[in-house]
Amino acid sequence: MLAPQKLSSVHWRDTRVIPVAGRRDWTRETLAAGVRGGDRRALARAITLVENGDALAYEVVADLYPETGRAYAVGLTGPPGVGKSSLISSLVRHVRADGRSVGVVSVDPSSPFSHGALLGDRIRLVDHFLDPEVFIRSMGTRGHLGGLAEATLQALLVLDAAGKELVYLETVGTGQSEVEIIGIADTVLLVLMPGSGDSVQALKAGIMEIPDVIAVNKMDHPAAKTMLSEVRSILSLGGDADWKPPIVLTDAVRGENVPELWAKIEEHRAYLVDSGQLEERRRRNLAREVFAVASGRAKEHLERAVSGDPELLRLLDEVQRRELDPLSAVREILEKVFHIEHEDSARTS
Ligand SMILES: Nc1nc2c(ncn2[C@@H]2O[C@H](COP(=O)(O)OP(=O)(O)OP(=O)(O)O)[C@@H](O)[C@H]2O)c(=O)[nH]1
Ligand SMILES: [Mg+2]
């Protein structure tokens, strides 16, 4: 038997070793097993690898993929500072009371910071950092080749495989690229606040896709009710879809109406499940993601190929000198880079 002081010194040395062990090289098998078991270090590592576009992440997600599809993904989007992270924090608190395990991925396309370092998110979600059933991660644009849509999808799959029942995806903005980032979500929640007039205009003009649920946050603001009725009147013009997006006034900081907001998210989920649309929607979302990622990669490949090939660059010069027409140049480029046959690309209806 070791003497007590010896024991404590061994213990002390062991805890010092943990950070080193955390950096140990994971293999495809140990990382997949760690994620499956919900091990936080494995999860953190897997998402870092996803973020870096590492080949190991690709292999691990491929192994885990058949076990995914159990998590429910809620995507939050909206202009900067409307309270998306604060709302997630309140929603997490609400669902944690029911004992559900939760994952959160905040994506900031404008930030170079990554690996969970976005300051605002850390402040907003600080209450949950010590909860072992809540895994929170921020992602910036740093170094990810395949784009944030791809990284978000892979991170969602990792959290799903780790047994998170609910995953929140947050991204700032209300345009098309944001829809690509959180487009994989089962329920899309648009967060607005008094003063988000541009977003309301975008909704009105049909530039922004109609979300499934809308929160008008910072309801203590005097203009909150005006914004609510404005959004309501725009949505009432919208077609005859079975699902009418509910609008909820919230206060994310005080948690006011957060249970009501959660109830609307659950209602939407129930609607999708009962009407058989959840599977259909997931199929469509996955197809869109696959095509978006494939197109992105094809474009990168094309740009690289053309810029490094004097013969292809010469084609562009010929187009400029009017010696070759643009579509003939397209044909030649596609033939050379993608081996797409002349006849195929030229065939019309
Ligand atoms: N008064 C009031 N302030 C709020 C409310 N919700 C959020 N805030 C404050 O608004 C600020 C922005 O909140 P965030 O949750 O970081 O907003 P966000 O939409 O995640 O911001 P980005 O991720 O930077 O786009 C913070 O100072 C919050 O404390 C609310 O309901 N009422
Ligand atoms: Mg935020």
PDB file of all heavy atoms in Angstrom, residues 79-87 121 124 170 172 217-220 250-253, ligand 1:
ATOM      1  N   PRO A  79     -30.500  39.001 -37.301  1.00  0.00           N
ATOM      2  CA  PRO A  79     -29.471  40.043 -37.363  1.00  0.00           C
ATOM      3  C   PRO A  79     -28.563  40.035 -36.130  1.00  0.00           C
ATOM      4  O   PRO A  79     -28.926  39.460 -35.107  1.00  0.00           O
ATOM      5  CB  PRO A  79     -30.282  41.341 -37.424  1.00  0.00           C
ATOM      6  CG  PRO A  79     -31.664  40.948 -37.809  1.00  0.00           C
ATOM      7  CD  PRO A  79     -31.867  39.549 -37.337  1.00  0.00           C
ATOM      8  N   PRO A  80     -27.405  40.697 -36.231  1.00  0.00           N
ATOM      9  CA  PRO A  80     -26.469  40.740 -35.107  1.00  0.00           C
ATOM     10  C   PRO A  80     -27.101  41.342 -33.858  1.00  0.00           C
ATOM     11  O   PRO A  80     -27.843  42.324 -33.954  1.00  0.00           O
ATOM     12  CB  PRO A  80     -25.337  41.649 -35.606  1.00  0.00           C
ATOM     13  CG  PRO A  80     -25.505  41.771 -37.070  1.00  0.00           C
ATOM     14  CD  PRO A  80     -26.912  41.425 -37.406  1.00  0.00           C
ATOM     15  N   GLY A  81     -26.830  40.737 -32.727  1.00  0.00           N
ATOM     16  CA  GLY A  81     -27.198  41.324 -31.447  1.00  0.00           C
ATOM     17  C   GLY A  81     -28.661  41.280 -31.060  1.00  0.00           C
ATOM     18  O   GLY A  81     -29.063  41.913 -30.088  1.00  0.00           O
ATOM     19  N   VAL A  82     -29.485  40.527 -31.790  1.00  0.00           N
ATOM     20  CA  VAL A  82     -30.919  40.493 -31.438  1.00  0.00           C
ATOM     21  C   VAL A  82     -31.187  39.635 -30.207  1.00  0.00           C
ATOM     22  O   VAL A  82     -32.262  39.708 -29.620  1.00  0.00           O
ATOM     23  CB  VAL A  82     -31.797  39.987 -32.612  1.00  0.00           C
ATOM     24  CG1 VAL A  82     -31.833  40.995 -33.753  1.00  0.00           C
ATOM     25  CG2 VAL A  82     -31.340  38.631 -33.098  1.00  0.00           C
ATOM     26  N   GLY A  83     -30.192  38.804 -29.858  1.00  0.00           N
ATOM     27  CA  GLY A  83     -30.359  37.959 -28.671  1.00  0.00           C
ATOM     28  C   GLY A  83     -30.451  36.473 -28.963  1.00  0.00           C
ATOM     29  O   GLY A  83     -31.027  35.719 -28.177  1.00  0.00           O
ATOM     30  N   LYS A  84     -29.855  36.039 -30.075  1.00  0.00           N
ATOM     31  CA  LYS A  84     -29.902  34.621 -30.433  1.00  0.00           C
ATOM     32  C   LYS A  84     -29.227  33.743 -29.372  1.00  0.00           C
ATOM     33  O   LYS A  84     -29.810  32.765 -28.911  1.00  0.00           O
ATOM     34  CB  LYS A  84     -29.231  34.382 -31.802  1.00  0.00           C
ATOM     35  CG  LYS A  84     -29.906  35.118 -32.950  1.00  0.00           C
ATOM     36  CD  LYS A  84     -29.144  34.943 -34.254  1.00  0.00           C
ATOM     37  CE  LYS A  84     -27.772  35.576 -34.281  1.00  0.00           C
ATOM     38  NZ  LYS A  84     -27.772  37.050 -34.170  1.00  0.00           N
ATOM     39  N   SER A  85     -28.002  34.135 -28.993  1.00  0.00           N
ATOM     40  CA  SER A  85     -27.270  33.328 -28.003  1.00  0.00           C
ATOM     41  C   SER A  85     -27.979  33.367 -26.654  1.00  0.00           C
ATOM     42  O   SER A  85     -28.068  32.345 -25.966  1.00  0.00           O
ATOM     43  CB  SER A  85     -25.834  33.834 -27.844  1.00  0.00           C
ATOM     44  OG  SER A  85     -25.153  33.776 -29.075  1.00  0.00           O
ATOM     45  N   SER A  86     -28.500  34.531 -26.292  1.00  0.00           N
ATOM     46  CA  SER A  86     -29.218  34.644 -25.017  1.00  0.00           C
ATOM     47  C   SER A  86     -30.464  33.761 -25.032  1.00  0.00           C
ATOM     48  O   SER A  86     -30.788  33.115 -24.033  1.00  0.00           O
ATOM     49  CB  SER A  86     -29.636  36.094 -24.763  1.00  0.00           C
ATOM     50  OG  SER A  86     -28.548  36.963 -24.880  1.00  0.00           O
ATOM     51  N   LEU A  87     -31.143  33.724 -26.173  1.00  0.00           N
ATOM     52  CA  LEU A  87     -32.338  32.876 -26.279  1.00  0.00           C
ATOM     53  C   LEU A  87     -31.965  31.398 -26.174  1.00  0.00           C
ATOM     54  O   LEU A  87     -32.658  30.630 -25.500  1.00  0.00           O
ATOM     55  CB  LEU A  87     -33.050  33.114 -27.611  1.00  0.00           C
ATOM     56  CG  LEU A  87     -34.271  34.027 -27.613  1.00  0.00           C
ATOM     57  CD1 LEU A  87     -34.907  34.040 -28.995  1.00  0.00           C
ATOM     58  CD2 LEU A  87     -35.314  33.630 -26.564  1.00  0.00           C
ATOM     59  N   ASP A 121     -20.540  34.507 -27.159  1.00  0.00           N
ATOM     60  CA  ASP A 121     -21.171  33.221 -26.889  1.00  0.00           C
ATOM     61  C   ASP A 121     -20.780  32.700 -25.511  1.00  0.00           C
ATOM     62  O   ASP A 121     -21.587  32.162 -24.770  1.00  0.00           O
ATOM     63  CB  ASP A 121     -20.755  32.176 -27.933  1.00  0.00           C
ATOM     64  CG  ASP A 121     -21.214  32.572 -29.311  1.00  0.00           C
ATOM     65  OD1 ASP A 121     -22.254  33.239 -29.407  1.00  0.00           O
ATOM     66  OD2 ASP A 121     -20.528  32.210 -30.276  1.00  0.00           O
ATOM     67  N   ARG A 124     -22.709  34.631 -22.928  1.00  0.00           N
ATOM     68  CA  ARG A 124     -24.142  34.331 -22.949  1.00  0.00           C
ATOM     69  C   ARG A 124     -24.449  32.922 -22.453  1.00  0.00           C
ATOM     70  O   ARG A 124     -25.492  32.664 -21.900  1.00  0.00           O
ATOM     71  CB  ARG A 124     -24.675  34.488 -24.384  1.00  0.00           C
ATOM     72  CG  ARG A 124     -25.755  35.533 -24.520  1.00  0.00           C
ATOM     73  CD  ARG A 124     -25.325  36.902 -24.098  1.00  0.00           C
ATOM     74  NE  ARG A 124     -24.608  37.598 -25.164  1.00  0.00           N
ATOM     75  CZ  ARG A 124     -23.873  38.673 -24.966  1.00  0.00           C
ATOM     76  NH1 ARG A 124     -23.730  39.164 -23.760  1.00  0.00           N
ATOM     77  NH2 ARG A 124     -23.253  39.245 -25.964  1.00  0.00           N
ATOM     78  N   GLU A 170     -26.689  28.120 -34.310  1.00  0.00           N
ATOM     79  CA  GLU A 170     -26.907  29.570 -34.380  1.00  0.00           C
ATOM     80  C   GLU A 170     -26.031  30.167 -35.462  1.00  0.00           C
ATOM     81  O   GLU A 170     -24.852  29.853 -35.556  1.00  0.00           O
ATOM     82  CB  GLU A 170     -26.529  30.237 -33.041  1.00  0.00           C
ATOM     83  CG  GLU A 170     -26.528  31.771 -33.145  1.00  0.00           C
ATOM     84  CD  GLU A 170     -25.945  32.480 -31.921  1.00  0.00           C
ATOM     85  OE1 GLU A 170     -25.696  31.834 -30.889  1.00  0.00           O
ATOM     86  OE2 GLU A 170     -25.732  33.712 -32.016  1.00  0.00           O
ATOM     87  N   VAL A 172     -25.473  34.190 -37.480  1.00  0.00           N
ATOM     88  CA  VAL A 172     -25.906  35.574 -37.589  1.00  0.00           C
ATOM     89  C   VAL A 172     -26.273  35.866 -39.040  1.00  0.00           C
ATOM     90  O   VAL A 172     -25.702  35.297 -39.962  1.00  0.00           O
ATOM     91  CB  VAL A 172     -24.788  36.511 -37.083  1.00  0.00           C
ATOM     92  CG1 VAL A 172     -23.548  36.413 -37.925  1.00  0.00           C
ATOM     93  CG2 VAL A 172     -25.265  37.958 -37.001  1.00  0.00           C
ATOM     94  N   ASN A 217     -37.683  39.363 -29.971  1.00  0.00           N
ATOM     95  CA  ASN A 217     -37.021  39.418 -28.674  1.00  0.00           C
ATOM     96  C   ASN A 217     -36.914  40.860 -28.171  1.00  0.00           C
ATOM     97  O   ASN A 217     -37.195  41.792 -28.903  1.00  0.00           O
ATOM     98  CB  ASN A 217     -35.643  38.760 -28.819  1.00  0.00           C
ATOM     99  CG  ASN A 217     -34.990  38.493 -27.490  1.00  0.00           C
ATOM    100  OD1 ASN A 217     -35.640  38.054 -26.536  1.00  0.00           O
ATOM    101  ND2 ASN A 217     -33.686  38.749 -27.397  1.00  0.00           N
ATOM    102  N   LYS A 218     -36.484  41.009 -26.936  1.00  0.00           N
ATOM    103  CA  LYS A 218     -36.380  42.307 -26.254  1.00  0.00           C
ATOM    104  C   LYS A 218     -37.773  42.945 -26.187  1.00  0.00           C
ATOM    105  O   LYS A 218     -37.971  44.108 -26.556  1.00  0.00           O
ATOM    106  CB  LYS A 218     -35.346  43.225 -26.932  1.00  0.00           C
ATOM    107  CG  LYS A 218     -33.988  42.523 -27.151  1.00  0.00           C
ATOM    108  CD  LYS A 218     -32.817  43.444 -27.358  1.00  0.00           C
ATOM    109  CE  LYS A 218     -31.565  42.630 -27.678  1.00  0.00           C
ATOM    110  NZ  LYS A 218     -30.342  43.410 -27.857  1.00  0.00           N
ATOM    111  N   MET A 219     -38.705  42.141 -25.727  1.00  0.00           N
ATOM    112  CA  MET A 219     -40.114  42.554 -25.699  1.00  0.00           C
ATOM    113  C   MET A 219     -40.369  43.715 -24.753  1.00  0.00           C
ATOM    114  O   MET A 219     -41.433  44.346 -24.828  1.00  0.00           O
ATOM    115  CB  MET A 219     -41.011  41.360 -25.310  1.00  0.00           C
ATOM    116  CG  MET A 219     -40.745  40.803 -23.925  1.00  0.00           C
ATOM    117  SD  MET A 219     -41.718  39.320 -23.580  1.00  0.00           S
ATOM    118  CE  MET A 219     -43.274  40.044 -23.080  1.00  0.00           C
ATOM    119  N   ASP A 220     -39.381  44.026 -23.892  1.00  0.00           N
ATOM    120  CA  ASP A 220     -39.553  45.173 -22.997  1.00  0.00           C
ATOM    121  C   ASP A 220     -39.422  46.497 -23.761  1.00  0.00           C
ATOM    122  O   ASP A 220     -39.813  47.552 -23.275  1.00  0.00           O
ATOM    123  CB  ASP A 220     -38.534  45.121 -21.835  1.00  0.00           C
ATOM    124  CG  ASP A 220     -37.100  44.904 -22.322  1.00  0.00           C
ATOM    125  OD1 ASP A 220     -36.921  44.219 -23.358  1.00  0.00           O
ATOM    126  OD2 ASP A 220     -36.158  45.416 -21.675  1.00  0.00           O
ATOM    127  N   THR A 250     -40.515  37.676 -26.795  1.00  0.00           N
ATOM    128  CA  THR A 250     -39.699  37.073 -25.736  1.00  0.00           C
ATOM    129  C   THR A 250     -38.785  38.091 -25.066  1.00  0.00           C
ATOM    130  O   THR A 250     -38.483  39.140 -25.631  1.00  0.00           O
ATOM    131  CB  THR A 250     -38.780  35.959 -26.300  1.00  0.00           C
ATOM    132  OG1 THR A 250     -37.992  36.512 -27.365  1.00  0.00           O
ATOM    133  CG2 THR A 250     -39.564  34.765 -26.806  1.00  0.00           C
ATOM    134  N   ASP A 251     -38.352  37.728 -23.874  1.00  0.00           N
ATOM    135  CA  ASP A 251     -37.227  38.430 -23.240  1.00  0.00           C
ATOM    136  C   ASP A 251     -36.222  37.354 -22.864  1.00  0.00           C
ATOM    137  O   ASP A 251     -36.442  36.583 -21.919  1.00  0.00           O
ATOM    138  CB  ASP A 251     -37.695  39.210 -22.003  1.00  0.00           C
ATOM    139  CG  ASP A 251     -36.561  40.064 -21.438  1.00  0.00           C
ATOM    140  OD1 ASP A 251     -35.455  39.517 -21.210  1.00  0.00           O
ATOM    141  OD2 ASP A 251     -36.758  41.280 -21.235  1.00  0.00           O
ATOM    142  N   ALA A 252     -35.154  37.306 -23.640  1.00  0.00           N
ATOM    143  CA  ALA A 252     -34.191  36.211 -23.481  1.00  0.00           C
ATOM    144  C   ALA A 252     -33.427  36.306 -22.173  1.00  0.00           C
ATOM    145  O   ALA A 252     -33.036  35.297 -21.598  1.00  0.00           O
ATOM    146  CB  ALA A 252     -33.212  36.217 -24.649  1.00  0.00           C
ATOM    147  N   VAL A 253     -33.215  37.537 -21.705  1.00  0.00           N
ATOM    148  CA  VAL A 253     -32.405  37.711 -20.501  1.00  0.00           C
ATOM    149  C   VAL A 253     -33.193  37.294 -19.260  1.00  0.00           C
ATOM    150  O   VAL A 253     -32.698  36.564 -18.408  1.00  0.00           O
ATOM    151  CB  VAL A 253     -31.889  39.161 -20.392  1.00  0.00           C
ATOM    152  CG1 VAL A 253     -31.173  39.383 -19.061  1.00  0.00           C
ATOM    153  CG2 VAL A 253     -30.954  39.475 -21.555  1.00  0.00           C
TER     154      VAL A 253
HETATM  155  N1  LIG B   1     -33.176  44.115 -22.781  1.00  0.00           N
HETATM  156  C1  LIG B   1     -32.888  42.947 -23.362  1.00  0.00           C
HETATM  157  N2  LIG B   1     -31.637  42.689 -23.729  1.00  0.00           N
HETATM  158  C2  LIG B   1     -31.379  41.484 -24.328  1.00  0.00           C
HETATM  159  C3  LIG B   1     -32.400  40.536 -24.539  1.00  0.00           C
HETATM  160  N3  LIG B   1     -31.849  39.466 -25.157  1.00  0.00           N
HETATM  161  C4  LIG B   1     -30.550  39.747 -25.311  1.00  0.00           C
HETATM  162  N4  LIG B   1     -30.256  40.948 -24.827  1.00  0.00           N
HETATM  163  C5  LIG B   1     -28.930  41.618 -24.823  1.00  0.00           C
HETATM  164  O1  LIG B   1     -28.572  41.885 -26.160  1.00  0.00           O
HETATM  165  C6  LIG B   1     -27.179  41.725 -26.347  1.00  0.00           C
HETATM  166  C7  LIG B   1     -26.906  40.746 -27.476  1.00  0.00           C
HETATM  167  O2  LIG B   1     -27.340  39.450 -27.091  1.00  0.00           O
HETATM  168  P1  LIG B   1     -26.819  38.117 -27.787  1.00  0.00           P
HETATM  169  O3  LIG B   1     -27.562  36.988 -27.181  1.00  0.00           O
HETATM  170  O4  LIG B   1     -25.351  38.055 -27.760  1.00  0.00           O
HETATM  171  O5  LIG B   1     -27.276  38.359 -29.271  1.00  0.00           O
HETATM  172  P2  LIG B   1     -26.904  37.516 -30.570  1.00  0.00           P
HETATM  173  O6  LIG B   1     -28.045  37.654 -31.489  1.00  0.00           O
HETATM  174  O7  LIG B   1     -26.475  36.141 -30.209  1.00  0.00           O
HETATM  175  O8  LIG B   1     -25.646  38.332 -31.104  1.00  0.00           O
HETATM  176  P3  LIG B   1     -24.615  37.897 -32.241  1.00  0.00           P
HETATM  177  O9  LIG B   1     -24.345  36.433 -32.081  1.00  0.00           O
HETATM  178  O10 LIG B   1     -23.429  38.752 -31.957  1.00  0.00           O
HETATM  179  O11 LIG B   1     -25.282  38.232 -33.542  1.00  0.00           O
HETATM  180  C8  LIG B   1     -26.619  41.267 -25.012  1.00  0.00           C
HETATM  181  O12 LIG B   1     -26.110  42.390 -24.341  1.00  0.00           O
HETATM  182  C9  LIG B   1     -27.830  40.716 -24.290  1.00  0.00           C
HETATM  183  O13 LIG B   1     -27.717  40.806 -22.899  1.00  0.00           O
HETATM  184  C10 LIG B   1     -33.738  40.851 -24.101  1.00  0.00           C
HETATM  185  O14 LIG B   1     -34.682  40.073 -24.271  1.00  0.00           O
HETATM  186  N5  LIG B   1     -33.935  42.065 -23.534  1.00  0.00           N
END
